[in-house]
Amino acid sequence: MPDPIVIPAELPVGFQRVHTEIMPIRWGDMDAMMHVNNTVYFRYMEQARISWVDSWGVGNTADVAEGPVIATAGCRFKRPLTYPGSVEVRMYAGKIGRSSMPTYYEIRRTDDAETIYATGEALFVWINNATGRPAAFPERVRTLLGSN
């Protein structure tokens, strides 16, 4: 049986904020219950992650020999989001290892910034795209992330 994904209830000790992304809540993000569908929370976290990786200047990593993938992802839903409005995704990163780095997310509404609507986690793993196996983070990325 696979290991359960443990989603921290609050920001883990030692994690630093690395990125903030603001996105509109779209009408189509809602489901029949008239709140944002649970899958969309993962999209919000994904977009924050992609924007952060884009800021590294490594290009489209799918077209190169190595790049990041997500090994695990989870979400703890606290309050429903509804249209209209905007979400703010605060992304935090933990200590970078040889080939992996934990990340943590807080999802808030921009008009209710004190309330956390969801938290999430994802484990970044740097891989060799040809083999699909973990590879060491390149020195340029480690330097950029402040852990060389």
Side-chain angles (χ1 to χ4, degrees), residues 37-140:
N37 185 272
N38 60 327
T39 62
V40 177
Y41 289 72
F42 286 91
R43 290 286 187 188
Y44 294 152
M45 290 183 281
E46 174 188 55
Q47 186 56 54
R49 234 183 352 263
I50 294 300
S51 293
W52 184 51
V53 171
D54 282 348
S55 76
W56 299 355
V58 296
N60 181 353
T61 58
D63 294 337
V64 294
E66 295 181 346
V69 296
I70 299 302
T72 64
C75 188
R76 181 184 299 261
F77 305 97
K78 296 176 176 273
R79 296 181 185 268
L81 290 165
T82 58
Y83 174 89
S86 294
V87 293
E88 175 185 346
V89 180
R90 298 179 186 179
M91 182 177 175
Y92 302 83
K95 185 175 182 344
I96 187 172
R98 185 189 81 79
S99 62
S100 66
M101 176 179 46
T103 58
Y104 178 82
Y105 306 81
E106 294 175 343
I107 298 175
R108 303 163 186 259
R109 289 185 64 99
T110 57
D111 60 358
D112 185 14
E114 298 305 312
T115 303
I116 298 174
Y117 283 71
T119 60
E121 64 81 33
L123 181 66
F124 261 81
V125 177
W126 197 266
I127 66 161
N128 177 299
N129 287 330
T131 66
R133 303 289 306 152
F137 275 98
E139 283 305 314
R140 71 184 189 287

Side-chain angles (χ1 to χ4, degrees), residues 8 10-16 93-95 102 104:
E10 58 187 41
L11 180 64
V13 173
F15 279 53
Q16 300 295 318
K95 185 175 182 344
Y104 178 82

